[in-house]
C-alpha cells in the first residue's frame, strides 16, 4: 500500500559540534521518504524552487519515490537553518524561509486521492488540512508539527489534530501544545484534541507511545557516534508509518509497538551523517539487522 506524504523538501544549513552542512538536501518529506521506502512506495506532495539541485531529485527518484506531484515553482526552495548544542538534544532554529511554500496549493492527482496511509509531515497545518481534504478514505493518518506552527498557526493546527489518528511531538512541543509539563498529562490533553495515539520523541532516549489503552516505551538504537540529529523525527515517522502500511490493522497495539521499533531503527541511520547521506545508503538488510539487535536490547 503506497504512502502519501505532504511536507517540506528543503535546503538545510546545519551546524553541530561535529561539523556543518550548507544548503544540503533536507526537509521533513525527504527524510520521511528515505526511511519509508523500505516498506512501501512513497508519493511526495511538495514544492521546490528553480534553485533546487537536480541531483537531489535524482536521489529521491532513486528511492522509488513518486515525484509526479512534486511541483517545481518559480522562486527559491524552502530553506531552514539550525544549530545544535554540545549534547545534541537542544536545537535552535536560526532561520526559516518558506519561499515557494508560501503560495503552495497542492492538487493531488486522482490516483493519489485513493491512498490510505497518510503522513502529514512538518509543514503549514493549512497545507496538511488541504491535502487531507482531498484524500477520500484515509485509513491511518499521522501528523508531525513543530513549535513554529504550534505558536504561529495554532487554530489551523487544532483543525488538523482533530482529523488524525496519531501525532508525533517532542517533550517541548507536547508541553507547548497542551500547557502541561508532565508528558503523560500533556499526552492525555492532546488526545482530547483528536488523535488516539501520541508519540513523544525523546531524541537519544527513544520514544514513548501513549494511548488510552497502553503506554509503550522504546529506546533509541544505541550508537557511539552521532553527527547530526536533523531529520530523526521524520525518519522515525518513515519507519513507523512504513511498518503500519504493510500490516492489517494499524490500530492494533502490537502493530503500533513494532512500528515504533521500526521508527527508532530508521532514525538511527538519519543521525549518523549530515543531510540524507547515511539514510540513503541504508539497505533493507541493515534495517533488519538493527531491528534484531533492538529486540535483543529490550529482552529480559
Ligand atoms: P526534524 O529534525 O525531524 O524535526 O526535521 C528537520 C527537517 O524539518 C529539516 O530538514 C528542515 O528542513 C525541516 N523543517 C524545519 N522547520 C520546518 C518548518 N517550519 N516547516 C517544515 N519543515 C521544516
Amino acid at each position: 500500500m503506497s504512502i502519501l506524504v505532504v511536507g517540506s523538501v528543503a535546503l538545510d544549513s546545519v551546524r553541530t559540534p561535529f561539523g556543518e552542512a550548507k544548503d544540503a538536501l533536507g526537509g521533513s518529506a525527504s527524510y520521511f521518504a528515505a526511511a519509508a521506502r523500505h516498506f512501501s512506495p512513497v508519493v511526495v506532495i511538495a514544492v521546490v524552487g528553480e534553485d533546487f539541485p537536480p541531483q537531489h531529485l535524482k536521489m529521491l527518484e532513486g528511492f522509488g519515490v513518486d515525484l509526479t506531484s512534486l511541483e517545481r515553482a518559480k522562486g527559491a526552495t524552502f530553506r531552514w537553518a539550525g544549530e545544535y548544542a554540545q549534547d545534541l538534544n537542544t536545537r535552535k532554529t536560526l532561520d526559516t524561509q518558506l519561499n515557494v511554500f508560501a503560495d503552495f496549493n497542492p492538487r493531488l492527482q486522482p490516483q493519489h486521492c485513493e491512498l490510505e496511509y497518510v503522513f502529514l509531515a512538518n509543514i503549514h497545518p493549512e497545507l496538511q488540512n488541504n491535502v487531507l481534504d482531498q484524500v477520500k478514505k484515509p485509513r491511518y493518518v499521522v501528523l508531525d508539527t513543530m513549535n513554529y506552527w504550534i505558536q504561529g498557526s495554532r487554530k489551523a493546527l487544532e483543525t488538523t489534530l482533530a482529523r488524525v489518528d496519531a501525532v508525533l511531538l517532542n517533550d517541548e512541543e507536547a508541553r507547548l501544545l497542551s500547557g502541561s509539563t508532565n508528558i503523560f498529562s500533556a499526552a492525555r490533553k492532546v488526545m482530547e484534541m483528536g488523535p488516539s495515539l501520541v508519540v513523544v520523541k525523546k531524541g537519544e532516549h527513544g520514544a514513548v507511545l501513549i494511548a488510552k489503552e497502553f503506554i509503550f516505551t522504546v529506546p533509541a538504537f544505541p550508537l557511539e557516534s552521532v553527527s547530526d540529529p536533523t531529520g530523526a523525527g521524520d525518519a522515525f515517522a518513515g519507519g513507523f508509518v512504513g511498518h503500519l502500511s504493510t500490516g492489517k490493522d494499524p490500530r492494533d497495539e502490537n502493530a503500533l509497538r513494532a512500528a515504533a521499533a521500526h521508527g527508532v531503527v530508521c532514525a538511527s541511520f538519519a543521525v549518523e551523517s549530515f543531510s540524507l547521506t547515511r539514510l540513503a545508503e541504508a539497505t533493507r538488510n541493515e534495517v533488519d539487522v538493527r531491528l534484531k539487535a533492538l529486540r535483543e536490547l529490550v529482552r529480559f
Side-chain angles (χ1 to χ4, degrees), residues 8 10 12 26-27 31 78 80 91 122-123 146 148-149 230-231 233-234:
S8 54
D12 286 351
Y31 280 104
F78 177 95
W80 175 79
R91 171 167 90 188
N122 183 19
I123 197 63
M146 73 186 297
Y148 189 82
W149 308 116
T230 306
D234 310 305

Side-chain angles (χ1 to χ4, degrees), residues 23-137:
D23 285 338
L25 173 61
S28 52
S30 313
Y31 280 104
F32 176 85
R37 74 187 156 107
H38 292 296
F39 311 98
S40 290
V42 182
V43 176
V44 171
I45 311 292
V47 59
V48 294
E50 299 154 305
D51 56 349
F52 194 70
Q55 71 266 26
H56 294 343
L57 292 177
K58 274 225 176 77
M59 182 194 268
L60 293 172
E61 268 164 4
F63 298 154
V65 172
D66 181 338
L67 295 181
T68 51
S69 288
L70 181 93
E71 198 180 308
R72 284 93 164 156
K74 276 217 163 81
T77 298
F78 177 95
R79 274 180 171 70
W80 175 79
E83 185 178 18
Y84 291 83
Q86 198 63 33
D87 66 359
L88 292 181
N89 279 333
T90 333
R91 171 167 90 188
K92 197 162 77 192
T93 289
L94 302 174
D95 190 25
T96 303
Q97 295 174 24
L98 292 182
N99 296 331
V100 287
F101 266 102
D103 298 315
F104 181 45
N105 186 18
R107 286 271 148 266
L108 268 58
Q109 296 177 30
Q111 71 273 26
H112 297 157
C113 300
E114 308 294 333
L115 297 181
E116 296 181 348
Y117 290 87
V118 180
F119 181 54
L120 306 173
N122 183 19
I123 197 63
H124 198 304
E126 272 167 20
L127 286 180
Q128 296 175 323
N129 271 315
N130 178 333
V131 165
L132 217 42
D133 287 343
Q134 297 175 59
V135 179
K136 288 194 186 137
K137 270 194 288 170

Side-chain angles (χ1 to χ4, degrees), residues 203-208 216-222 236 260-261 263-265 294 297-298:
E204 64 173 328
H205 304 298
V208 185
F216 174 59
T217 166
V218 60
F221 185 82
F236 174 94
V264 293
V265 164
L294 184 72
L297 184 74
V298 295

